[in-house]
């Protein structure tokens, strides 16, 4: 079913910035982009993306039609004027929580409080559910908007209902763009600024500090004093909300974030989107994707094709695909000082952008660790979770749907010697992979009680162009865990990788209908 979508924007800060946000009828969700960084010259190249709002209004969904948006002078006035269940659930709504804090409507601005915004979000979602007849809504949030949503899930609804597990009765899923789930931290030379921010609450920015996050993420009956030792703001549990219904999009481009003349990127460091550090931008144990986009602006993650493709597939995709690297046995010994890193890059057939990318150049490779004493050597290395839609199958030159959903996962294994926290480059070739190949995966959706089928081959084993390869002419990968509606198979790593990853290394792929 297509649930209503509620968009929750990010932090504005000063009254002037709040006024600018309020002047936009769609709070920025309508802003597209014409810039993208590609190629080796480092220059901005033209790429026109019309905005996530327009794309949702254009693209068809599972019942064949696009989403719609109703304003008619004011969303809530329109909702109030309609009867129960008279509005199409397949609609988009904007949580205009900053309106009361603007100075442009001839009244004294109300001081912004994130708890108030979360409570207002509950009121809006209740009204939308009543007038559309939908059981739940999708929440789509940028930056601080994700914290408003989490305050709703983790504090407001539990306080209202007296139960910590009721948020899923209201919300189908939560998608966050560049949300500082674990706060906004500063690099060592700027730690004093963080303390000043949290103490003085300049422009309300203390909401990104640990103590303030404890207040708006924790119900009153559990909030006795300050946060306990070891508490992390990004913590969520399946009891509070199903973690597999949360998706976190993480930006990795700090260089192209223009806020405050680049000061922000210097304060938080290069391992960030220019404002939020990469490791703070997701909730642990939830699906996520990394894209080389900045926090906002002309290269921002919200107004990007990469962001939209991940959003759309998470909201409407009917298959979840999980990929893990299993049975790895690294060469050498634990004391040889070699650091092993894996880069991943995911492409989906018919999509013109990379939908997921983790690389050393973007400060977010996957670290392959040797098992700690007592740990199993069989512990898998999670590579990614993505979503596919059988309704968006590309067509061939004759206009006929292609028989499979195809994605390509590029893997690059790199290593460098490290001792005492210092890299040794005497035997190193920078950005030269010890192993590199691309796995081409084709998935044929099952029908009825028929499980999906999958085929996979390494690009190095293909004789011609990938576009000419027909996977269905070969035998599908055996289902290693036969179960109706679910498929899991293993693909051996190429022989050339065995001296690095071990002869038993495989990629385990799990396809689950949603």
């Amino acid at each position: 079913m297509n649930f209503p979508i509620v968009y929750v924007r990010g932090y504005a800060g000063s009254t002037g910035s709040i006024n600018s946000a309020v002047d936009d009828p769609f709070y920025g969700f309508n802003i597209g982009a014409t810039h993208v960084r590609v190629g080796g010259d480092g220059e901005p190249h033209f790429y026109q993306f019309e905005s996530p709002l327009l794309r949702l209004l254009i693209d068809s969904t599972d019942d064949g039609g696009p989403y719609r948006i109703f304003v008619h002078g004011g969303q809530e006035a329109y909702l109030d004027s309609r009867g129960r269940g008279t509005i199409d659930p397949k609609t988009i709504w904007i949580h205009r929580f900053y309106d009361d804090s603007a100075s442009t409507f001839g009244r004294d601005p109300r001081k912004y409080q994130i708890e108030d915004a979360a409570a207002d979000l509950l009121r809006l979602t209740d009204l939308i559910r009543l007038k559309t007849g939908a059981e739940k809504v999708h929440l789509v949030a940028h930056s601080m908007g994700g914290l408003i949503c989490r305050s709703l899930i983790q504090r407001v609804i539990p306080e209202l209902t007296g139960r910590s597990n009721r948020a899923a009765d209201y919300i189908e899923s939560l998608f966050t763009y560049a949300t500082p789930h674990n706060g906004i931290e500063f690099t060592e030379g700027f730690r004093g600024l963080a303390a000043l921010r949290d103490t003085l609450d300049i422009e309300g920015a203390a909401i990104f500090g640990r103590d303030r996050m404890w207040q708006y993420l924790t119900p009153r009956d559990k909030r006795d004093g300050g946060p306990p030792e070891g508490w992390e703001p990004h913590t969520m549990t399946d009891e509070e909300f199903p973690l597999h219904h949360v998706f976190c999009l993480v930006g990795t481009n700090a260089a192209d974030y223009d806020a405050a003349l680049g000061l922000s990127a210097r304060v938080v460091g290069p391992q960030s989107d220019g404002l939020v550090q990469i490791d703070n931008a997701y909730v642990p144990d939830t699906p996520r994707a990394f894209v080389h986009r900045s926090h906002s602006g002309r290269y921002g993650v919200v107004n990007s094709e990469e962001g939209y493709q991940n959003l759309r597939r998470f909201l409407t995709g009917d298959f979840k695909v999980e990929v893990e690297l299993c049975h790895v046995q690294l060469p050498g010994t634990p004391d040889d000082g070699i650091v092993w890193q894996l880069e991943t890059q995911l492409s989906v057939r018919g999509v013109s952008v990379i939908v997921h990318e983790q690389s050393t150049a973007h400060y977010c490779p996957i670290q392959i660790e040797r098992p700690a004493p007592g740990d199993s050597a069989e512990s898998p290395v999670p590579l990614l979770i993505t979503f596919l839609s059988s309704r968006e199958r590309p067509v061939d030159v004759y206009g006929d749907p292609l028989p499979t959903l195809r994605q390509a996962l590029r893997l690059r294994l790199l290593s460098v010697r490290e001792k005492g926290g210092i890299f040794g480059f005497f035997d190193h070739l920078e950005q030269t992979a010890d192993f590199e190949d691309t796995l081409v995966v084709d998935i044929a959706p099952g029908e009825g009680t028929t499980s999906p089928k999958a085929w996979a081959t390494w690009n190095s084993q293909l004789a011609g162009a990938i576009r000419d390869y027909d996977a269905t002419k070969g035998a599908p990968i055996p289902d290693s865990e036969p179960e109706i509606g679910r498929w899991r198979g293993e693909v051996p790593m190429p022989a050339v990788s065995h001296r690095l990853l071990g002869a038993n290394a495989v990629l385990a792929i799990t396809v689950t209908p949603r």
Side-chain angles (χ1 to χ4, degrees):
M1 175 184 178
N2 292 297
F3 294 101
I5 295 173
V6 181
Y7 173 68
V8 190
R9 69 154 288 142
Y11 174 75
S14 67
T15 299
S17 296
I18 290 173
N19 290 343
S20 296
V22 169
D23 286 344
D24 185 336
F26 303 110
Y27 266 29
F29 199 42
N30 54 314
I31 298 176
T34 57
H35 289 62
V36 64
R37 282 206 184 267
V38 295
D41 57 3
E43 294 297 323
H45 288 242
F46 181 82
Y47 183 89
Q48 186 172 351
F49 172 67
E50 58 268 59
S51 84
L53 178 64
L54 283 179
R55 285 294 288 274
L56 287 168
L57 299 180
I58 294 169
D59 287 352
S60 296
T61 52
D62 57 12
D63 65 357
Y67 269 79
R68 302 176 67 188
I69 189 164
F70 295 105
V71 177
H72 300 289
Q75 294 176 126
E76 297 200 29
Y78 178 77
L79 285 164
D80 287 335
S81 70
R82 300 299 297 269
R84 289 173 177 252
T86 59
I87 300 177
D88 187 350
K90 199 167 46 179
T91 45
I92 302 171
W93 308 89
I94 311 299
H95 179 28
R96 297 188 59 87
F97 60 88
Y98 266 135
D99 286 8
D100 289 338
S101 301
S103 63
T104 56
F105 290 115
R107 58 177 179 261
D108 291 334
R110 182 181 76 174
K111 182 181 179 181
Y112 169 75
Q113 292 287 338
I114 199 167
E115 294 91 339
D116 294 338
D120 288 344
L121 178 57
L122 177 60
R123 181 181 54 79
L124 176 62
T125 57
D126 276 341
L127 186 58
I128 292 169
R129 291 166 59 227
L130 176 67
K131 298 308 177 93
T132 63
E135 294 181 2
K136 307 177 185 182
V137 300
H138 294 301
L139 297 181
V140 177
H142 174 227
S143 190
M144 179 196 71
L147 301 178
I148 294 174
C149 296
R150 286 187 53 204
S151 181
L152 170 66
I153 291 170
Q154 295 178 259
R155 173 178 169 172
V156 172
I157 292 177
E159 286 184 352
L160 176 70
T161 64
R163 292 172 55 185
S164 61
N165 62 348
R166 292 297 301 278
D169 295 342
Y170 300 78
I171 302 161
E172 171 62 18
S173 63
L174 169 62
F175 183 99
T176 67
Y177 294 94
T179 288
H181 288 287
N182 211 36
I184 294 179
E185 299 178 309
F186 296 163
T187 55
E188 186 171 348
F190 296 93
R191 296 281 167 79
L193 286 179
L196 194 65
R197 173 200 67 188
D198 296 346
T199 301
L200 300 181
D201 194 20
I202 302 171
E203 305 291 9
I207 58 173
F208 303 117
R210 185 171 178 268
D211 289 346
R212 185 71 180 90
M213 295 182 78
W214 166 255
Q215 294 174 3
Y216 62 75
L217 292 176
T218 309
R220 289 189 187 92
D221 61 348
K222 298 181 180 178
R223 198 170 64 244
D224 184 14
E229 187 71 27
W231 180 78
E232 296 289 344
H234 61 187
T235 302
M236 284 184 70
T237 66
D238 270 314
E239 181 184 3
E240 293 171 313
F241 191 74
L243 294 180
H244 63 283
H245 283 213
V246 180
F247 191 101
C248 302
L249 193 66
V250 181
T252 64
N253 184 1
D256 284 330
Y257 186 56
D258 297 330
L261 301 177
L263 176 63
S264 171
R266 293 196 294 273
V267 168
V268 300
Q271 195 174 6
S272 70
D273 61 12
L275 182 62
V276 180
Q277 291 172 325
I278 291 171
D279 287 343
N280 288 345
Y282 57 84
V283 174
D285 301 319
T286 62
R288 68 189 72 111
F290 296 76
V291 295
H292 195 53
R293 288 286 187 164
S294 60
H295 188 79
S296 59
R298 63 174 56 92
Y299 302 104
V301 66
V302 178
N303 49 311
S304 70
E305 179 87 13
E306 294 92 332
Y308 175 75
Q309 292 297 338
N310 278 286
L311 168 66
R312 180 167 176 76
R313 280 163 175 75
F314 177 65
L315 295 187
T316 67
D318 47 0
F319 286 95
K320 180 175 75 171
V321 182
E322 301 172 76
V323 184
E324 299 173 315
L325 178 62
C326 301
H327 313 310
V328 173
Q329 292 182 319
L330 294 173
T333 61
D335 58 356
D336 60 12
I338 302 297
V339 175
W340 296 91
Q341 299 173 328
L342 191 66
E343 297 185 340
T344 60
Q345 186 182 81
L346 182 69
S347 304
V348 177
R349 181 162 58 183
V351 176
S352 59
V353 295
I354 301 298
V355 298
H356 169 86
E357 184 175 16
Q358 289 187 257
S359 70
T360 56
H362 300 162
Y363 303 102
C364 57
I366 298 170
Q367 301 290 134
I368 303 182
E369 306 286 354
R370 297 182 186 276
D375 288 349
S376 170
E378 301 300 314
S379 298
V381 180
L383 300 189
L384 62 90
I385 297 176
T386 190
F387 299 88
L388 299 175
S389 174
S390 61
R391 296 174 296 274
E392 298 180 17
R393 201 176 304 178
V395 298
D396 60 20
V397 293
Y398 304 105
D400 297 323
L402 294 166
T404 63
L405 304 170
R406 174 172 290 177
Q407 52 189 342
L409 176 61
R410 189 185 75 164
L411 299 179
R412 299 182 76 235
L413 181 67
L414 301 100
S415 62
V416 63
R417 194 179 301 274
E418 179 185 5
K419 187 173 183 179
I422 300 175
F423 288 122
F425 296 109
F426 59 91
D427 58 355
H428 177 73
L429 293 170
E430 179 61 16
Q431 289 297 309
T432 303
D434 296 311
F435 161 76
E436 180 174 359
D437 209 338
T438 299
L439 185 70
V440 182
V441 180
D442 286 82
I443 298 172
E447 297 181 3
T449 59
T450 304
S451 296
K453 293 182 180 180
W455 295 260
T457 189
W458 293 98
N459 187 35
S460 60
Q461 298 170 359
L462 292 178
I466 295 177
R467 69 174 62 87
D468 297 328
Y469 164 60
D470 183 356
T472 61
K473 290 183 177 179
I477 304 170
D479 189 347
S480 62
E481 297 179 3
E483 181 179 318
I484 293 177
R486 181 177 183 270
W487 180 93
R488 179 179 173 87
E490 295 184 346
V491 181
M493 293 294 293
V496 69
S497 72
H498 288 178
R499 295 186 63 182
L500 300 170
L501 297 174
N504 297 320
V506 299
L507 286 185
I509 304 172
T510 304
V511 182
T512 308
R514 303 177 71 204

